[in-house]
Amino acid sequence: MTVSGQQAAPNGTATRDRLGRLFTPESVAIVGASDRSSWSHRIHGALLNIGYDGEVYFVNPRGGTAHGAVAHRSVGEIGQVPDLVYVMTSAEASLAAIDEAARLGTRSAIILSSGFAETGPEGLLAQRRLAEVAREHDMAVLGPNTLGFANPARRVVLMPMQPGDELEAGAIGVVSQSGNMAVQVMNMARSFDVGLSLLASTGNELNVTATDVLDYLVADEATQVIAVFLEAVTDPAAFRRACLRAQQAGKPVVMLKVGRSEAAARAALAHTGALVGDDAIISAVLSASGVIRVDSMEDLLTTADAFVRSGPVGGRNLAVVTISGGGCDLAADRADGLGLRYPPLGEATMGRLRELLPSYATPQNPLDATGAAVADAQLFGAAIAAVAADPAVDVTVAIGEIEHHAPESAWGLDSITAMTAAARQAPRPVIFTNTTIHTITPGARAVRHELGVPSVFGGMDRVLAAVARIADWSAAPVRAVSEPPQRPRPAGSQDSQDLPARAGTWSEADARSLLERAGVPVVPAVLARSPEEAAAAAGRFGTPVAVKVVSPDIVHKTDAGGIALNRSGREDVIAAARQVLAAAQRQVPAPRVDGILVSPMRPEGSGVHDLLVGVVRDPDWGPVLAVAMGGIWAEVLADVSRVALPCDRPAIESAVRALRGAPALLGARSLPGIDLERVVDAMVAFADLAVSLGEDLVAIEVNPLRVTADGAEALDVTVQWRPRS
Amino acid sequence: MTVSGQQAAPNGTATRDRLGRLFTPESVAIVGASDRSSWSHRIHGALLNIGYDGEVYFVNPRGGTAHGAVAHRSVGEIGQVPDLVYVMTSAEASLAAIDEAARLGTRSAIILSSGFAETGPEGLLAQRRLAEVAREHDMAVLGPNTLGFANPARRVVLMPMQPGDELEAGAIGVVSQSGNMAVQVMNMARSFDVGLSLLASTGNELNVTATDVLDYLVADEATQVIAVFLEAVTDPAAFRRACLRAQQAGKPVVMLKVGRSEAAARAALAHTGALVGDDAIISAVLSASGVIRVDSMEDLLTTADAFVRSGPVGGRNLAVVTISGGGCDLAADRADGLGLRYPPLGEATMGRLRELLPSYATPQNPLDATGAAVADAQLFGAAIAAVAADPAVDVTVAIGEIEHHAPESAWGLDSITAMTAAARQAPRPVIFTNTTIHTITPGARAVRHELGVPSVFGGMDRVLAAVARIADWSAAPVRAVSEPPQRPRPAGSQDSQDLPARAGTWSEADARSLLERAGVPVVPAVLARSPEEAAAAAGRFGTPVAVKVVSPDIVHKTDAGGIALNRSGREDVIAAARQVLAAAQRQVPAPRVDGILVSPMRPEGSGVHDLLVGVVRDPDWGPVLAVAMGGIWAEVLADVSRVALPCDRPAIESAVRALRGAPALLGARSLPGIDLERVVDAMVAFADLAVSLGEDLVAIEVNPLRVTADGAEALDVTVQWRPRS
């Protein structure tokens, strides 16, 4: 299903309305409320903590009181219809409570309880019954097996929250499939004074999925950036479209997707009852969907926080301003590893810095404004202003140490006001952070809020990495939500009468035909019916030849002894042909044999490289193109780039350039480089072919694709189709 | 200078005594004290904050009062001799104050003031005068250009400290050349409740160097692990010996060494006036000295904190216990990237977990003990005990969330007591951390101290990385502080009468002699005096040959056209010889030519690899052996291992195995592997030779070293010596 770039998802408005209701209830019933339940205390405490001003009802089948108020025996006994029920009873009791509330007209629910799909067949059945009830009454159900959500702007928190720092409203929307990870984000946000627009954990995703919340946040005006903790999605295509819509809306999606390792895949299975897909494919799809992928919870929140303060960043030219030589050293080393550059400052900037700084300071980038900036309230702000105004600088990170210094110590309010003004008036982004992470004093917290200091938590180590990611995101092309316009459909994509049915594997000869019709350059070859015909063909090529057995049943020809390389002379070729035929006949069960393929050997040498180019079609995530350096080195070094298909031509060129071996391909040490234009032509034709082959395709692979200064030529190809159903 | 492993450095006791006095003064005079100086306020505040119970005097040439007490006009006017003077006046006034205090008998000083060596020739002169005074009166001077030190165990802090959390005494000794980075460590330690034994910043290192403090901390009983922030050291050999002594004492040295990037090298130049050496050489030396190198301040302190809690770790087999499936996923992914393994749990452990855990939990590693652990105070501790007792597990990380949960919220004191007891009674290390970093409530801080909870700050992301580093450190061989015993001195190390003087470059023929005499296998060759002699030699080899001009003045023979490869037949060889001689004659100025080297071509093919093996001798850090994959791929991929020399044989074998291309060398995909034993033999002989050549050597390089299933053979070699002085 394809939707245009400007439209929301089908039922998008309806879904957003449902979620809007879910996240802003004016009355809440806590089902299972009890003074003896720590969960009950924590949820009730969270509502008190945030200052929820709606009605709160308690429900407990045993009646009595809970948290100092009456406990109703059922939702029906409340006498009012609550907007939302938060259910923390056993799975069976939960089902009954939801059923009752839904009949009464409650349209939103949160189910903390586990014991559903994640526990096995019985739980799955219970979850299905729950789904029926919810569908019948159009009820939005967060969970089951969720911890709930927090909506600090509307002062609703229905998620366990311990005493401590305030949760502030802000511009970061967060969705997590794991409840615990949602709580982790909440606690980091509270510890380090990061504002959130919404935080939701989706658990078993009965009828509110991470994709739904993502879509809601794309439309939510308070949200500028979206942080996602993901285990597995049930509808990858819809999820990908939601990511593309976020990109189009100018809202980065920062994502921590777990399940990279096999051990993690096992853990997720126990946790969500959903499968975790192959990580490399997911990485390619996320990358093509404009998603910023991170590896840790801290990087997730720091990257989002940095974007709220910086907005898009125009390039990788960084300036750092600090008051410490050691800080400059650290900043220089860190940026170096992240591919950020320190451009030399222009003469105007240098002149201004010489005016500002004490004589023993060195005007340069990164800049040590020296300890003099501690004594002079205006100096640090003026230095930031000078550096940030330099046209060579895309983004300035000032090691402001606001959380550490302000306002009890070194930086007075005057200093911080000057620094903040400099950041606000700068023509390009300026953000602040600390050299290292530490806690915020209440005084510093107050100053941050009062002045709107653009200070990012996490310390230089994480913040510079966040800046690099934001620069990447800002430079990425914005793709349409619809599939990119198809290039003219390659001829090979139509079934021709002379090609076999699309099932199982094809012989090399048939697979070659696919490539040829699609315009992928293929080495010439003759399909000979006998050793003598093979020898005659070899004679016509006039070079040493490769001799291969042709069979749809022999995929790994080398392993089967079905290939003889570098043969020349009539007798040698005849012997080779007999040898590969004999090898085929030794296979059990006996393979079909269509003949002998004879093709000229291509010379090796400097400037000649073997690539492997293949497309794998994941049933969920779609086709992904892999480009790899060929040969033993590629296997050892695993030098592979992956691109989700369909994609545009620059994405394929980037994949080639992203190979570690690219400098060798493109001509290192005065060796000849390949004809990149024509190589990419061949890959584009190959990728288009693979896309056009549709869902029947399992994989198609050219190995090797020989690339030289004259372009590309496929030397061998295999194709595999889904079995006939 | 070589010292035995058991001895301290020369004057080690004297130095330790000096530093012992410096770090425990019973009276302090602050010179430059003034109510109008923010520095004065901050130093005085730090003494108040920590509860210093010695005498504090204020000195200001203008007299009057400071901080509510009398300000003496000079140190002499105090009427008592302070143990230590903290000087924050101008450079000139500082010199006078130090001179006066030293004459009176003060034996320790801290000089905050800048304006010394870091500012240029004039400052350097002032610093030299200071050094003379200090030497004359045996005064230990920290700085100049330092922020001072903190000694929380003795309740002395002479370093700026803002209000806020307490600085706790602990087992981590810290030395930083940068004052600001020392303050960063102090603030992280205070924020996250990490105890320090001592924290010192050494600044310009007049007569107290980072090496001195390192040596002091090795001997200091309170210190279990040493964290170092380093910019550049003046005596690398002494520094290296101090690191080795720490390793012998069982105290890891964790180090952040800045100056990896060129930009950082520039910044350090402005900061300390000292040169930053080549980073790869330093890395090799640090690695050989048992140092754990980290990249960020947070990793520096987390790694040290983790070691205090874990001690040595017996291997890379990790168990993680958490109460969240999402946490398990994260732990699995993170460990995967760090080379930590999750061993399957044994049947006894699985049985115990099945007894303990609710039915919906899955006993596995990493373990999700589920939310049931929140309700049952004993469950989490019992699960930790079960897992940590499994013989397959080297180290257990329990995601205890003490700082987050305790004791106001989910974990009651009972839970934390049970968890801590489980950790303490476990047969192998158990440490706690949180899923993510966050602040500590005062209640949690109190519980941590009361129970001695082994909880490490930084969150799972940083703590698992710290565990991996500690496992590496624990597995590294402990090297003697003296240079390793020399193997029998290779014959080639003696100057023979037939070899030229050791200056400049040598011809390949002479360099070959060095290798041959040292027992490094070298391809056969004949030094021919004429093209005809060359042809005769080629005839005797009976294979195609390489023909090279022999000249000490032509180092890059290929670039000069001085090599002809793969020649055979009398006329072809004569032509090749004439060609390389003619190429030599075209060089300007005219090179000396010693003849023509003829050697057999060695066949290429699968199982044959070219390596590059070289030794570079850094004037400060000594000789380093580099082993690299040869050819274009090595240059593009920079696949290099480096080992500081001298080293033992296993270190060289490890260097080969550490190459990314090692699987290809050792036999991947059923291709033949090289004879590693004989290849390492050749490298050991080569390394011994290089060490024996002493300080005259600049570099010696074999390129290529051909390695096969038959061993190694040097095909070409160059050697470069220091110019004659």
Side-chain angles (χ1 to χ4, degrees), chain B residues 416-426:
Chain B
I416 303 170
T417 305
M419 288 154 63
T420 303
R424 199 161 291 154
Q425 288 154 21

Side-chain angles (χ1 to χ4, degrees), chain B residues 214-528:
Chain B
L214 183 50
D215 258 328
Y216 173 84
L217 293 169
V218 169
D220 177 43
E221 285 188 10
T223 299
Q224 291 172 26
V225 52
I226 301 165
V228 183
F229 179 90
L230 203 69
E231 288 165 336
V233 289
T234 42
D235 183 349
F239 181 76
R240 187 179 174 185
R241 285 193 301 272
C243 292
L244 289 171
R245 276 192 291 271
Q247 191 191 27
Q248 284 195 325
K251 301 185 180 185
V253 175
V254 189
M255 191 177 302
L256 177 49
K257 166 76 181 73
V258 289
R260 285 180 187 267
S261 71
E262 275 194 46
R266 216 166 56 227
L269 199 66
H271 185 51
T272 63
L275 281 172
V276 174
D278 174 66
D279 192 65
I281 287 178
I282 292 169
S283 264
V285 173
L286 292 180
S287 167
S289 311
V291 171
I292 301 175
R293 191 169 183 184
V294 295
D295 286 332
S296 78
M297 295 297 291
E298 287 85 352
D299 288 327
L300 182 70
L301 195 57
T302 298
T303 306
D305 192 24
F307 183 82
V308 171
R309 303 305 188 173
S310 73
V313 164
R316 303 184 81 85
N317 289 309
L318 172 71
V320 162
V321 185
T322 170
I323 55 164
S324 145
C328 285
D329 296 346
L330 265 185
D333 282 359
R334 183 76 180 120
D336 206 47
L338 293 164
L340 295 169
R341 290 178 298 264
Y342 288 102
L345 299 174
E347 202 31 63
T349 314
M350 294 291 277
R352 178 77 183 113
L353 289 176
R354 276 189 287 264
E355 282 169 30
L356 285 169
L357 297 173
S359 60
Y360 54 85
T362 312
Q364 63 184 4
N365 183 19
L367 178 67
D368 173 9
T370 78
V374 175
D376 177 348
Q378 300 303 312
L379 176 54
F380 200 61
I384 291 168
V387 167
D390 192 303
V393 173
D394 295 316
V395 53
T396 300
V397 177
I399 311 301
E401 311 277 4
I402 307 287
E403 289 73 15
H404 157 190
H405 280 137
E408 298 88 346
S409 182
W411 300 128
L413 209 54
D414 287 355
S415 293
I416 303 170
T417 305
M419 288 154 63
T420 303
R424 199 161 291 154
Q425 288 154 21
R428 284 166 295 277
V430 177
I431 59 177
F432 297 157
T433 191
N434 304 310
T435 307
T436 54
I437 191 167
H438 39 67
T439 51
I440 311 179
T441 62
R445 200 178 279 256
V447 168
R448 281 169 53 100
H449 286 250
E450 191 186 322
L451 299 180
V453 184
S455 182
V456 179
F457 101 97
M460 187 200 285
D461 185 39
R462 295 203 188 271
V463 170
L464 290 187
V467 168
R469 289 184 203 111
I470 292 169
D472 281 346
W473 180 86
S474 305
V478 177
R479 293 184 176 81
V481 175
S482 57
E483 307 284 79
Q486 294 291 322
R487 285 170 284 266
R489 192 168 181 182
S493 62
Q494 266 109 64
D495 271 337
S496 304
Q497 289 179 332
D498 57 340
L499 286 178
R502 293 183 167 183
T505 52
W506 277 8
S507 77
E508 180 182 343
D510 292 330
R512 283 172 50 91
S513 297
L514 267 188
L515 293 192
E516 282 169 350
R517 294 170 199 198
V520 180
V522 182
V523 67
V526 169
L527 180 60

